[in-house]
Amino acid sequence: CSFSLVMRQVVFVVVVALAVTVTFIVLPIIINDQNPSQQHYEEFEKSARDPLKLEDPDVVTIELKLFLLMKNTPTKFKKIWEDLMRATPVKSVAVQLIIHVDFDKDNSEGWQEQVRIASQLSGSESVHGPVTSVFATSPRGLKATMLEAWAPIRGEYAMFLEDDIDVSEMLLVYAEKFIMAYGESSQKDPTVLGYKLYNQKWDEVNQRFEEKVDNGYAPFKIQEPCSWGTVFIAEPYKRYLAWFMENYESDPMIPHAWSNTWDAKKSAKKYLQRFMWEEGLFLISINFPRDLSLVSPSFSKEEPLLTNRWSVPLLTERELEGSSLLLIFPPSSNTFRSFSFDRAEVIVMKKFELKDVLSDQAMRYSCCLGCIFLLFVFLSL
């Protein structure tokens, strides 16, 4: 009897030891070796390759798609179009201009004029590249139009411009410089989603004026998206679109962020902020003196508060005479600005990885199964 009791105790201890070993040592090693997030990235890289692109050194394969998102404001469109046509052309990047005209169910005169202008421009060749117009057949709204406009493929970049934006004559020059210095670098930074060409002075996250980054006016990395004149990179933006389709029914919140008050049904930027926060992604932002910028939102004189917060002076070619602003493209500054209660604090968010979640889940499930198994063994003795 005493011998049988001792054997039961020995078996119980051995089973517990095996369960603990499998739960906390063997399973985590197996999961980490499989590295599903790396596998997912490799599959994405394979699917992102464009089979139509030929390895011909004489063919320009670096493309910038410039999307103009319009509806029924032909006067504003004419202004931004004239500004773009005055902008300095570039040579290293092939630019394509795509005009998206949303549908106006009221059939307003402004919308009819917008459709007429976009129709005339479609199929033409501008000083920067070919022009294409796309017309919605039902009201889409800015959020849906932006999300549906670009189907990114490898080697592409994209910029979205709305009808309330003024642009600098140096816009495409700096877009090209950022693309060639960072996007086409032999050592690409996997944490970069794109390049921010708006010199932001108002902090949307904390509702206060920005604290300037003192690094000799070099570009810096910031974890806050911007829909005004940002150049997006194809690969991470493709991941964002896939992430959005998985999360479009949720309201994406971020700790301590004023953006939590935005209407998720109308704001694509709210989702992009959450994606950047989860993935640990950043934009490389311009950092010119005197708030000089390559794009600026346009407000009427009757909106002094918005003008004070958002409007910034545009960089001109004259501003560059005798300056070194065209030469400040070292590797991106290590100055990070992230989502936090104190934006001046230097924080790099932990990248969300699938393997971490799988590891945690595996441990929880294995613990439960181990307890059930132990209980079964104990009761059967």
Side-chain angles (χ1 to χ4, degrees):
C1 249
S2 61
F3 177 77
S4 176
L5 180 60
V6 170
M7 286 300 296
R8 290 181 182 181
Q9 293 175 343
V10 170
V11 171
F12 181 77
V13 171
V14 170
V15 171
V16 170
L18 287 174
V20 171
T21 302
V22 171
T23 300
F24 295 101
I25 299 177
V26 178
L27 276 178
I29 292 176
I30 293 174
I31 291 172
N32 288 330
D33 285 344
Q34 290 176 345
N35 198 356
S37 59
Q38 178 64 26
Q39 180 182 357
H40 171 75
Y41 177 76
E42 291 172 354
E43 291 174 355
F44 163 74
E45 281 285 293
K46 184 178 180 180
S47 66
R49 296 191 182 97
D50 179 13
L52 298 179
K53 291 187 183 295
L54 304 177
E55 298 299 328
D56 186 344
D58 297 327
V59 176
V60 177
T61 57
I62 306 172
E63 300 178 2
L64 172 61
K65 290 188 174 180
L66 204 163
F67 295 94
L68 297 164
L69 310 181
M70 307 293 155
K71 185 177 181 180
N72 53 7
T73 53
T75 302
K76 291 183 177 180
F77 174 77
K78 291 177 183 178
K79 172 67 167 59
I80 191 173
W81 185 261
E82 290 172 358
D83 289 345
L84 283 171
M85 294 306 102
R86 285 196 294 265
T88 304
V90 294
K91 297 180 180 180
S92 300
V93 176
V95 179
Q96 181 181 356
L97 296 98
I98 306 170
I99 307 168
H100 277 259
V101 182
D102 199 0
F103 185 80
D104 186 353
K105 61 181 180 180
D106 296 328
N107 197 29
S108 65
E109 293 183 4
W111 176 73
Q112 293 181 37
E113 177 68 6
Q114 181 71 76
V115 169
R116 186 187 65 80
I117 297 172
S119 298
Q120 290 178 346
L121 290 172
S122 187
S124 65
E125 188 76 20
S126 74
V127 294
H128 303 297
V131 182
T132 303
S133 295
V134 179
F135 303 94
T137 56
S138 62
R140 303 301 298 146
L142 183 60
K143 174 184 174 181
T145 301
M146 182 175 292
L147 289 168
E148 297 169 0
W150 185 33
I153 58 176
R154 190 168 184 169
E156 280 188 349
Y157 300 84
M159 181 191 301
F160 300 94
L161 296 177
E162 302 164 35
D163 59 5
D164 58 351
I165 295 296
D166 295 329
V167 300
S168 162
E169 59 191 87
M170 304 303 295
L171 175 69
L172 296 178
V173 171
Y174 273 88
E176 178 189 51
K177 284 183 171 293
F178 270 89
I179 289 171
M180 301 307 296
Y182 299 117
E184 299 302 313
S185 169
S186 58
Q187 297 180 337
K188 297 181 178 64
D189 187 342
T191 69
V192 174
L193 173 66
Y195 319 114
K196 183 177 177 181
L197 304 184
Y198 171 56
N199 200 354
Q200 184 173 328
K201 63 180 181 179
W202 178 253
D203 178 358
E204 285 186 282
V205 176
N206 295 303
Q207 292 291 288
R208 67 188 184 193
F209 284 98
E210 296 276 11
E211 297 180 14
K212 294 300 181 182
V213 175
D214 185 10
N215 65 352
Y217 306 124
F220 65 93
K221 293 168 74 174
I222 181 171
Q223 198 178 49
E224 181 177 338
C226 179
S227 58
W228 294 329
T230 293
V231 177
F232 290 102
I233 305 169
E235 287 86 345
Y237 197 83
K238 182 179 179 179
R239 297 203 308 273
Y240 162 61
L241 293 177
W243 177 92
F244 175 82
M245 293 306 299
E246 295 176 357
N247 297 277
Y248 72 95
E249 292 182 332
S250 63
D251 190 352
M253 299 290 187
I254 295 174
H256 310 300
W258 181 261
S259 60
N260 291 338
T261 64
W262 298 349
D263 186 355
K265 295 180 180 179
K266 298 181 179 179
S267 175
K269 184 176 176 180
K270 188 174 186 179
Y271 286 89
L272 185 57
Q273 284 193 142
R274 174 71 189 197
F275 175 73
M276 292 176 67
W277 184 70
E278 283 191 11
E279 293 283 329
L281 297 177
F282 297 83
L283 297 178
I284 299 180
S285 175
I286 60 173
N287 190 27
F288 298 149
R290 304 187 305 280
D291 295 323
L292 289 170
S293 182
L294 297 163
V295 298
S296 175
S298 177
F299 300 104
S300 67
K301 295 180 180 180
E302 289 73 29
E303 300 173 302
L305 178 62
L306 296 178
T307 300
N308 184 47
R309 289 182 175 182
W310 299 107
S311 293
V312 288
L314 293 176
L315 180 70
T316 64
E317 191 169 2
R318 180 177 297 181
E319 292 277 353
L320 296 174
E321 294 179 0
S323 74
S324 59
L325 291 182
L326 276 173
L327 305 176
I328 55 172
F329 285 91
S332 56
S333 167
N334 288 326
T335 304
F336 296 92
R337 295 171 118 176
S338 303
F339 291 119
S340 64
F341 188 74
D342 184 1
R343 280 281 299 282
E345 185 180 0
V346 179
I347 293 179
V348 180
M349 300 304 301
K350 180 181 183 298
K351 184 176 180 181
F352 173 82
E353 293 186 352
L354 182 60
K355 68 176 184 179
D356 297 330
V357 176
L358 290 179
S359 181
D360 292 340
Q361 290 178 342
M363 286 188 178
R364 286 196 294 269
Y365 293 152
S366 58
C367 282
C368 292
L369 291 174
C371 291
I372 294 173
F373 177 73
L374 288 175
L375 181 61
F376 175 77
V377 171
F378 182 77
L379 292 176
S380 64
L381 292 176

